[in-house]
Amino acid sequence: MSDACGCSHDEPNTDEHGEEREPERLWEVSELRLAAVSGIFLLAAFIAGWADAARPVVLTLEAAALLVGAYTFVPSTLTRLAKGKIGVGTLMTIAAVGAVILGEVGEAAMLAFLFSISEGLEEYSLARTRRGLRALLSLVPDQATVLRDGAEIVVAPTELRVGDRMLVKPGERIAIDGLIRQGHTALDVSAITGESVPVEAGPGDEVFAGSINGTGSLAVEVTTTAEDNSLARIVRIVEAEQSRKGASQRLADRIAKPLVPAIMIAGTLIAVIGSIFGDPATWIERALVVLVAASPCALAISVPVTVVAAIGAASKLGALVKGGAALEALGAVRGVALDKTGTLTANRPAVIDVATANGATREQVLDLAAALEARSEHPLAAAILAAVDDVTPAADVAAVTGAGLTGHRDGHTIRLGRPGWLDPGALADDVARMQHAGATAVLVEDNNQVIGAIAVRDELRPEAAEVVAQLRRDGYHVAMLTGDNQATAAALAKDVGIDAVHAELRPEDKARLIQQLRAERNTAMVGDGVNDAPALATADLGIAMGAMGTDVAIETADVALMGEDLRHLPQTFTHARRARRIMLQNVGLSLALITALIPLALFGVLGLAAVVLVHELAEVVVIANGVRAGRTKPLAITAARPPSVPRTTAVGASR
C-alpha cells in the first residue's frame, strides 16, 4: 500500500506447510477482526451511556475501543514516521491523540474504529489480487501419469523431469508444459487464456500446464519443471513487477503525497493563529477537526479498490495486468503499434498459391518441392509439407546457402529456390504477383526445367482486420511495425486496414520509432517475441501477445494477453478505459469532499465525530463505485477458429 495512505500490510497467513496463504474471507483479515472488537466495545459504551451507567465505565469502554482500533494503524504510522514518511495514518493518529487531550475519547474511538475498517477493507482488496494471481497455480492437477521403464506410474507434478513421456487421458488437466508427441485433441484453455473455443492440437504442438485435454489421448514430452512451468513463471514475473511498480506510481498517491504535509501545515497554522487571536482550546480543537476533514482517506482507498476489481476482471478477459500503474497507462493509451509476425499474423506460414508451367500440375509441383523440403529445416519447409498428403523424400539433398535446395529422385535432378538463383522464365509475372501480395515465392525445377512457383505467406489472423477496424472506431491511432520487407508489409497492412506502415526495422529501430510515436500520443506496443522486447520496454505500455509461450515478452511487457485471439486486445482497452473513468470519478469525489469539509470544520459547523462519519460514508461510496470496475463481459467468440498448424519460425527472406 502507499505511503500516502499510511496503511499497514497484513502479514500473510500460513498453512500447515508454512506456505503463504492470502485471506479468503473478511474475518481472516486481522484489521477487520480488530475493528469488530473495537466496534463491540464502542457499542457497549453507547449502551452504557444510554443506560446512565457510571462515567468511569463508559470511559473505560471507549478507551478499550480506541486502543483496539488504533492498533491497526498507529504502530505502522510510528514506524513510517521514524523513516521520515508521512501519510493519512499520521493525520488520524494526531487527530485521535488531540481528541483524547480535549476529553473527546468517544469521538477518538469512533475515528479509530472507522479507520480500522477502511484499513482492513484495503488489505482484503489487495489480498484478492495476490490470491487471484496465485489461483493460477491451482489449475495444475495433483498428479500425472508418466511412462517410465515401459510402465505407467502416477507421480506428483514436482517429480516430473524434462524428457519424461506424460500420458494425458481425455478430460484430464495437463500437469506441466510439453510437446505433443502422439495424439490429436481439442484443448480447453479457457481457464488460462479466456478463450471459449477449444484449440485443435496435434503432434509437435505446445501444450501448457492447466489446459484441459479434450476427447483424444495424448502422449506429451515434458519440456520444463513444475517450478518453472508457464503458470508458475507468470505468477513470479507479475508479482515481482507489482512489487517493483508499487503504489507510489498510482494517481491517488501522486495527489495524496503533497496533500498530506500541506494539510498538517494548514492545521498547525490554524491552531497557532487561532490561539493568538481567540480561545486556544476552541481553535486547537478546530485544527484537529480540519486535519481529519482534509484527510484523503477516500482518495487513498478509491484507486486501490478500483485497481483490484479491474485487474481481476481483466484476467477473465485473458489479460494479465501488472498492477495499478499498468492499468492506468492502459486506460490512457491513444496509439497502438502492432508487430506483424505473431501478432497480426498467426506465425504459421502456409502455401497460398501455386503457379505451374511446362505441362506440370499443381500436385506435381508440390510433390517435388516436398521431396526436397522433407530433408530441410528451413522455415518454409513446414508450410510446403503441410500442403501435401504423402511425401517421398529425395536423395542426395544439399542446401545451397542463400539460394535453395538440390536433390535427386527417380533419376531426375530437382531444385527448389529463390527467383534469381533459378530463372522464373514464363512464370516471371506470377512470381511478381506473388511477391506483390506479400508472399515469399520459391521456384521448382525438374531436370533444368522450371515447372512451378509456390507462394508461401504467414497469413493474417482471421480476426486481424476486425480488430484494427474496432481500434480505429474507438479512436486509437494504429501503426504496424515489422522487420519484413516493404512489399510484404504494405500488402498485409492494406489487407488489415492499417495506413501507417514501418518496415525493415531492426529491434533497436522499433524502439526508436516507438519514442517518436510517444511524442505524439500515449502509445502501446503489442508484440510477441525477443525482437519486440526493446520496443515493449520503450512504449508507454508494453503488451505481450500469446504470453503463455513467450518468456522475454511477458517479462518486458506491462500487460500480457494470455490467448491467441487478437480480439481480446480492443476489449481489454475498453475495460481499462472504463476502469480509469471510475478511478477519476472516485478521485474527483474524494477531492470535492475534502474541499467541502474543510470550511465546515474550520468554522465549527461540523465536529470531529460528524467529519469522521462523513469520511467513512464516502469511503463506502467510493468502494462501491470502484467495485463496478470488476463488472465485465467475457469475449464471445462465435466463429470457429481454424485448426492449428504446427508452429514454425516466422517467414524470413526468400532463399
Side-chain angles (χ1 to χ4, degrees), residues 365-492:
V365 172
L366 288 173
D367 177 58
L368 289 183
L372 292 171
E373 294 288 21
R375 305 299 189 191
S376 170
E377 295 182 357
H378 191 277
L380 300 182
I384 293 175
L385 291 172
V388 299
D389 295 326
D390 298 310
V391 180
T392 302
D396 305 322
V397 176
V400 179
T401 304
L405 300 169
T406 64
H408 298 88
R409 195 182 74 173
D410 299 331
H412 290 242
T413 299
I414 53 178
R415 295 198 297 173
L416 178 145
R418 64 176 177 82
W421 181 59
L422 299 180
D423 183 3
L427 294 176
D429 291 340
D430 292 291
V431 168
R433 174 178 54 78
M434 292 173 177
Q435 292 176 334
H436 184 71
T440 297
V442 291
L443 295 167
V444 180
E445 188 181 85
D446 183 11
N447 281 339
N448 298 317
Q449 187 178 57
V450 171
I451 63 169
I454 301 174
V456 179
R457 188 170 70 178
D458 186 9
E459 288 290 76
L460 290 168
R461 295 179 185 273
E463 72 276 11
E466 172 192 342
V467 168
V468 170
Q470 182 63 53
L471 288 173
R472 297 180 68 170
R473 283 196 300 270
D474 290 342
Y476 293 97
H477 176 271
V478 183
M480 186 176 82
L481 278 59
T482 180
D484 278 357
N485 63 74
Q486 186 66 44
T488 299
L492 289 175

Side-chain angles (χ1 to χ4, degrees), residues 218-258:
L218 300 178
V220 177
E221 181 182 335
V222 175
T223 58
T224 185
T225 62
E227 295 77 16
D228 198 39
N229 71 47
S230 51
L231 296 179
R233 191 168 61 245
I234 287 168
V235 170
R236 284 200 307 271
I237 292 171
V238 175
E239 286 186 333
E241 191 71 10
Q242 285 178 328
S243 175
R244 186 177 71 83
K245 291 187 174 181
S248 61
Q249 297 187 38
R250 294 178 186 162
L251 176 62
D253 300 308
R254 294 199 295 271
I255 297 172
K257 278 189 172 179

Side-chain angles (χ1 to χ4, degrees), residues 34-322:
L34 291 172
V37 174
S38 176
I40 292 172
F41 280 122
L42 201 57
L43 179 62
F46 174 77
I47 294 174
W50 179 74
D52 293 328
R55 178 60 184 165
V57 174
V58 176
L59 192 61
T60 300
L61 291 172
E62 290 176 343
L66 172 61
L67 291 174
V68 174
Y71 184 75
T72 63
F73 64 92
V74 172
S76 61
T77 296
L78 296 178
T79 301
R80 290 174 180 274
L81 278 174
K83 298 177 181 178
K85 297 179 179 179
I86 298 174
V88 176
T90 309
L91 300 183
M92 290 301 183
T93 302
I94 293 173
V97 171
V100 171
I101 293 173
L102 294 173
E104 302 290 347
V105 179
E107 293 187 350
M110 178 65 73
L111 182 152
F113 165 65
L114 293 173
F115 192 61
S116 64
I117 292 176
S118 69
E119 292 280 86
L121 289 175
E122 185 171 356
E123 171 57 33
Y124 176 72
S125 63
L126 295 180
R128 280 187 59 191
T129 297
R130 299 190 293 266
R131 189 173 70 245
L133 184 62
R134 292 178 185 175
L136 282 173
L137 299 179
S138 68
L139 297 176
V140 177
D142 296 329
Q143 58 186 28
T145 303
V146 64
L147 188 65
R148 288 181 182 167
D149 299 325
E152 296 182 13
I153 60 173
V154 177
V155 299
T158 53
E159 298 178 29
L160 290 170
R161 301 187 296 265
V162 174
D164 274 344
R165 185 64 61 97
M166 181 172 58
L167 305 178
V168 186
K169 298 175 183 177
E172 285 187 341
R173 281 193 185 273
I174 295 173
I176 203 164
D177 299 355
L179 290 173
I180 296 177
R181 292 308 182 196
Q182 290 181 350
H184 290 80
T185 189
L187 290 174
D188 179 357
V189 295
S190 58
I192 303 170
T193 68
E195 296 180 55
S196 59
V197 176
V199 177
E200 298 290 333
D205 284 343
E206 283 184 290
V207 293
F208 300 106
S211 303
I212 300 176
N213 185 19
T215 56
S217 295
L218 300 178
V220 177
E221 181 182 335
V222 175
T223 58
T224 185
T225 62
E227 295 77 16
D228 198 39
N229 71 47
S230 51
L231 296 179
R233 191 168 61 245
I234 287 168
V235 170
R236 284 200 307 271
I237 292 171
V238 175
E239 286 186 333
E241 191 71 10
Q242 285 178 328
S243 175
R244 186 177 71 83
K245 291 187 174 181
S248 61
Q249 297 187 38
R250 294 178 186 162
L251 176 62
D253 300 308
R254 294 199 295 271
I255 297 172
K257 278 189 172 179
L259 183 61
V260 170
I263 291 168
M264 295 183 66
I265 294 172
T268 302
L269 291 176
I270 290 171
V272 172
I273 296 174
S275 298
I276 294 174
F277 296 100
D279 178 31
T282 299
W283 285 101
I284 290 175
E285 180 179 0
R286 288 188 182 179
L288 292 171
V289 177
V290 167
L291 283 179
V292 177
S295 297
C297 305
L299 178 65
I301 196 174
S302 61
V303 172
V305 169
T306 307
V307 165
V308 168
I311 289 178
S315 66
K316 297 177 183 177
L317 301 176
L320 276 179
V321 182
K322 299 180 182 179

Side-chain angles (χ1 to χ4, degrees), residues 13 62 213 255 346 356 420 549 554 572 596:
N13 297 320
E62 290 176 343
N213 185 19
I255 297 172
T356 62
I554 189 177
T572 301

